Amino acid sequence: MSPNSTGNRLFDRPLRELGRALLFLFTAISRMRFSRLQVAETLRQVYFAGVRSLVIIVTCGFFVGLVLTLQTYDTLTRFGAGDAVSTVLALSLFRELGPVLTALLFAGRAGTSITAEIGLMRATEQLDALDLMAIDPMERIVQPRLIAGLIAVPALVLIFNVTAIVGGVFFAVFLMGNDPVTFWSNMQASVELGRDFLGGMVKAVAFGFLAAWLAVWFGWSARPTSEGVALATTQTVIATAITVLILDFVLSAFML
Amino acid sequence: MTHTEAAIELRNVTVELGGRTILENLDLVIPAGKVTAVMGPSGAGKTTVLRLITGQIRPDSGEVRVGDTRVDQLSGKALNRFRREIGVLLQNGALFTDLTCFDNVALPLREHTELPETLIRRLVLLKLQMVGLRGAAGLYPRELSGGMNRRVATARAMALDPSIMLYDEPFAGLDPISLGVSLRLIRDINHALGITSIVITHDVDEVAHLADQCAIIADRQLMASGSPAELADSDNPLVRQFMQGLPDGPVPFHYPADDLAADLLAAEKQQ
Amino acid sequence: MKSSHQIELTAGLFLLLAIAALIFLAMQATDRGVASGPTYEVSASFSNVGGLKPRAKVSMGGVTVGMVERITLDPDTFDARVVMRISERFDNLPEDTSASILTAGILGDQYVGLEPGGSPESLRDGDTIMITNSAVVLEQLIGRYLFNTDGDEQ
Ligand SMILES: Nc1ncnc2c1ncn2[C@@H]1O[C@H](COP(=O)(O)OP(=O)(O)O)[C@@H](O)[C@H]1O
Ligand SMILES: [Mg+2]
């Protein structure tokens, strides 16, 4: 057997899976319809995806800010550049850590529950029931969760960034006794709204879309059994982590 | 039995799923305004028949007619319009677990009608009253027993006043009291509203109380049909096995396998 | 389980919180950059810009007044032409302002420092700064110190 044909077999399944996931996404988007019910359901999903991730986002954000400041402060003071700590903190948060870490935490907290929920809906025939009631599950189940992810992740990134900066202030200003005015003015002077901050938010939107798509897709395509749903939630986390990091590299390369 | 108009007709239907032929040249006629029981061993394809009628799957060949509608040719909007005319109780009710019973029943009304909320409320409470669960309107499905879940699901299936009701194993796993309640409910719905009902069930005893007409599906075909009394007197060995609940007969107890002795010897040889 | 009303309310609060975070970050942590308001362009030629890069800041008396827009090489003189955007707020810089390329600290970024002259005329959009001091290149400085200790420079 030629090496080519084994190669085909190796890539055949993932490629078909990717194709089906894309087709699924296009179907979901093409059937987009905005009714009052749809908006209410989307808001409900923002609650489930966003509000319920708040605790983990705020906790992690604070400690990431704290430890990032601790480490960079220690290094920077060796070069007599301790004042630059707020610059390093804000730039690394806005451009990389905020969007990436939030997307990973979102996948673990909200993405898995979206996957499990839809997988179980399939297993318990709730999706069939919708179909039979002439309600499009794409419209009522998939779309609100996609849009909610698109809204919730950027919102969580903003909150993550603020709490991380609070963590940084806590360390640099309260524990190390640095001058707060210098801290803020150095940050302001070196962080640019358009390129650094909004560039990071572009990433946040892209990651939110990706995380929500993968979560919904793995739930939708899960085998309707306990193992099937368990496998699907694992796949959501792994696939989101890998694709977010790859996409992060691509977007960073484009933006710089 | 007098000849009645056929509400549902399957003609020469063949279905293949996952490379296996599930139904082959099946002919099935469901009379209008009656309760028809569809029986048969597990895996015979009863649920598949139901899914043909609702248009969830299409036959590989043959016709599925509901009234004047060719269900096997419907899709998209037309299929959705058709589905509003039929109510389906799935095997475990399939209620939405994150909605209360009230909201579950209200869902099809909110989705397909422009009725004001006060009217929807009244309709939902009436439907829940019909299944005896108005008092559980504010509860979540997980707070109710399996039998009650199915009754709420029945109310939900009835929300848009369908002309055909399909019940997939509504009695499976019910205690005798719940079973009696469900049985009466199905009969009352049928008699009061004069709709066509199809009940998929294993429960031979209950069928006699419930069904006007019986159809037994086995071996990819319609094995027998007639009134419950006619089937009980049947000479057909399979019908007798089924109606009397004998463990072995034309439907074998064993999954198809090699000869036991040969299998055991082969295992020994391997060691 | 919360009622749908409460859920919608909480979701709304969540979005408000996010908007508050957005405003905080936009106001407190970032700079719109001097270049985001109305600006005008001036340019200056240097024989050597050292490590100066686009987006480096332009300051006068320690206050940031603009940023470097682009750096090109003049095809005739082989001088580096630095185009700067200065905020309209500083529209009265004297015409004989001088520009130097300086370094913030020993390892810091390079920036353009402006030194005001005494002319009553102001720099306008498209003007060129005539008096410039090129970047101090560390290697040249060290070389000069080692081999030519005359001190006949300014
Ligand atoms: N989507 C499917 N893919 C492959 N096989 C299926 C599918 N759905 C059902 N089957 C098979 O078809 C047969 C009939 O199923 P079903 O109609 O559910 O039986 P039952 O009479 O118990 O309701 C079963 O053997 C089942 O394994
Ligand atoms: Mg079945």
Side-chain angles (χ1 to χ4, degrees):
Chain A
M1 199 165 285
S2 74
N4 190 28
S5 69
T6 48
N8 279 347
R9 217 179 297 155
L10 190 66
F11 291 113
D12 194 40
R13 230 174 57 85
L15 273 182
R16 272 216 324 255
E17 179 86 350
L18 180 66
R20 294 201 307 143
L22 278 172
L23 201 64
F24 166 79
L25 182 67
F26 288 137
T27 316
I29 292 173
S30 67
R31 293 204 211 149
M32 200 70 80
R33 200 171 62 104
F34 295 97
S35 60
R36 201 184 51 77
L37 275 175
Q38 191 80 335
V39 172
E41 181 59 20
T42 305
L43 209 54
R44 248 167 60 87
Q45 294 306 324
V46 169
Y47 170 82
F48 288 122
V51 178
R52 288 180 169 187
S53 307
L54 259 186
V55 173
I56 188 172
I57 289 294
V58 168
T59 319
C60 293
F62 183 79
F63 283 100
V64 164
L66 201 64
V67 77
L68 188 65
T69 313
L70 188 152
Q71 291 285 1
T72 48
Y73 186 74
D74 180 63
T75 311
L76 287 172
T77 43
R78 293 184 205 177
F79 301 104
D83 278 351
V85 71
S86 62
T87 305
V88 175
L89 173 71
L91 285 182
S92 41
L93 275 179
F94 292 170
R95 287 159 69 152
E96 291 295 335
L97 291 179
V100 170
L101 288 181
T102 304
L104 297 184
L105 292 171
F106 179 86
R109 174 65 183 85
T112 49
S113 58
I114 290 174
T115 304
E117 188 188 16
I118 296 182
L120 283 174
M121 281 184 151
R122 161 92 55 216
T124 57
E125 299 186 305
Q126 292 180 46
L127 296 182
D128 287 324
L130 278 176
D131 242 338
L132 290 172
M133 282 189 268
I135 301 171
D136 184 2
M138 280 283 182
E139 193 182 310
R140 188 46 32 86
I141 304 295
V142 174
Q143 286 169 7
R145 285 165 178 76
L146 273 180
I147 299 172
L150 208 56
I151 296 172
V153 171
L156 290 170
V157 169
L158 289 168
I159 294 167
F160 183 95
N161 284 344
V162 169
T163 46
I165 287 176
V166 169
V169 170
F170 179 75
F171 180 81
V173 175
F174 287 95
L175 295 184
M176 292 292 115
N178 282 308
D179 174 31
V181 176
T182 318
F183 185 91
W184 288 116
S185 64
N186 275 342
M187 191 186 289
Q188 282 176 8
S190 49
V191 179
E192 204 187 309
L193 183 73
R195 214 173 84 115
D196 301 322
F197 181 67
L198 295 183
M201 291 317 290
V202 168
K203 283 185 176 182
V205 173
F207 295 168
F209 184 69
L210 190 63
W213 171 33
L214 291 174
V216 171
W217 162 247
F218 282 114
W220 185 266
S221 62
R223 264 182 300 119
T225 59
S226 325
E227 308 94 61
V229 175
L231 179 69
T233 52
T234 313
Q235 283 174 323
T236 296
V237 175
I238 295 175
T240 311
I242 294 174
T243 48
V244 158
L245 291 171
I246 294 174
L247 184 63
D248 181 51
F249 171 75
V250 174
L251 289 179
S252 300
F254 265 108
M255 284 178 195
L256 285 180
Chain B
M1 192 193 279
T2 56
H3 176 79
T4 43
E5 189 196 345
I8 302 170
E9 251 185 295
L10 276 68
R11 287 236 165 275
N12 227 359
V13 166
T14 299
V15 176
E16 282 177 30
L17 288 174
R20 276 178 48 218
T21 308
I22 311 294
L23 301 171
E24 196 172 2
N25 299 330
L26 174 84
D27 287 307
L28 180 65
V29 179
I30 311 282
K34 304 248 151 123
V35 180
T36 303
V38 173
M39 306 202 295
S42 288
K46 305 182 294 296
T47 303
T48 307
V49 167
L50 187 141
R51 286 156 62 83
L52 283 168
I53 297 171
T54 57
Q56 285 170 286
I57 54 173
R58 289 185 193 202
D60 292 284
S61 66
E63 296 177 11
V64 180
R65 277 178 202 282
V66 175
D68 301 328
T69 315
R70 277 288 293 274
V71 180
D72 51 313
Q73 291 175 343
L74 291 181
S75 65
K77 286 214 169 78
L79 184 58
N80 275 346
R81 223 174 298 124
F82 163 73
R83 280 178 179 167
R84 285 180 222 177
E85 292 295 311
I86 53 177
V88 183
L89 175 66
L90 290 171
Q91 226 149 329
N92 286 305
L95 290 178
F96 300 110
T97 45
D98 60 339
L99 297 181
T100 60
C101 294
F102 182 94
D103 288 331
N104 262 288
V105 180
L107 188 71
L109 291 167
R110 290 186 177 140
E111 190 74 28
H112 294 307
T113 69
E114 301 286 327
L115 298 177
E117 198 58 32
T118 49
L119 197 55
I120 286 183
R121 199 183 127 74
R122 233 176 272 170
L123 285 172
V124 171
L125 290 180
L126 282 175
K127 299 287 174 196
L128 283 171
Q129 173 75 11
M130 177 186 73
V131 299
L133 288 171
R134 186 166 50 83
L139 298 181
Y140 284 90
R142 73 183 115 81
E143 297 171 290
L144 299 175
S145 73
M148 291 185 195
N149 265 295
R150 277 185 233 178
R151 274 149 66 194
V152 174
T154 308
R156 184 178 69 180
M158 301 279 305
L160 293 174
D161 295 320
S163 54
I164 296 172
M165 276 294 292
L166 309 173
Y167 305 86
D168 196 353
E169 306 205 9
F171 309 128
L174 291 191
D175 63 84
I177 299 176
S178 312
L179 195 152
V181 171
S182 302
L183 196 68
R184 219 191 57 208
L185 182 64
I186 293 175
R187 213 174 36 204
D188 289 354
I189 288 173
N190 188 257
H191 288 178
L193 304 174
I195 58 182
T196 306
S197 306
I198 298 180
V199 182
I200 294 176
T201 179
H202 294 299
D203 242 293
V204 180
D205 293 337
E206 311 311 333
V207 164
H209 299 123
L210 176 66
D212 305 305
Q213 175 86 6
C214 270
I216 299 181
I217 293 176
D219 204 16
R220 308 196 292 265
Q221 306 268 326
L222 178 68
M223 192 50 63
S225 70
S227 70
E230 281 166 15
L231 289 187
D233 295 337
S234 170
D235 299 333
N236 185 325
L238 188 132
V239 175
R240 290 213 1 232
Q241 184 198 358
F242 200 80
M243 296 303 279
Q244 293 166 18
L246 303 176
D248 216 346
V251 176
F253 169 67
H254 292 288
Y255 194 85
D258 294 339
D259 182 53
L260 176 65
D263 226 2
L264 291 175
L265 283 176
E268 261 166 32
K269 265 187 209 143
Q270 274 181 353
Q271 291 179 343
Chain C
M1 173 96 41
K2 294 188 173 195
S3 77
S4 60
H5 182 73
Q6 275 174 307
I7 286 178
E8 282 169 23
L9 196 73
T10 322
L13 282 176
F14 168 73
L15 293 180
L16 271 186
L17 184 67
I19 290 169
L22 175 70
I23 293 171
F24 172 79
L25 292 174
M27 304 303 288
Q28 184 71 17
T30 69
D31 191 9
R32 252 142 296 172
V34 189
S36 70
T39 55
Y40 64 99
E41 274 187 13
V42 296
S43 58
S45 293
F46 297 90
S47 60
N48 192 332
V49 292
L52 190 73
K53 292 194 176 62
R55 290 169 37 76
K57 63 181 183 173
V58 176
S59 75
M60 177 174 269
V63 178
T64 305
V65 296
M67 63 176 239
V68 173
E69 176 73 12
R70 60 182 178 274
I71 302 170
T72 52
L73 188 68
D74 190 310
D76 299 328
T77 63
F78 299 110
D79 276 347
R81 249 173 66 84
V82 175
V83 179
M84 295 164 269
R85 294 188 153 277
I86 312 288
S87 169
E88 291 270 5
R89 279 180 291 157
F90 310 100
D91 59 353
N92 56 347
L93 305 183
E95 203 182 28
D96 55 350
T97 293
S98 64
S100 326
I101 293 175
L102 306 169
T103 307
I106 192 84
L107 291 171
D109 276 347
Q110 289 192 301
Y111 66 98
V112 179
L114 299 182
E115 196 71 35
S119 166
E121 296 289 309
S122 299
L123 281 172
R124 319 233 146 274
D125 188 40
D127 279 1
T128 302
I129 293 176
M130 296 317 232
I131 314 161
T132 62
N133 287 311
S134 287
V136 176
V137 179
L138 210 56
E139 294 90 317
Q140 288 179 1
L141 201 68
I142 293 168
R144 228 174 307 170
Y145 179 75
L146 286 178
F147 304 118
N148 179 10
T149 45
D150 264 312
D152 58 354
E153 306 262 320
Q154 324 99 301

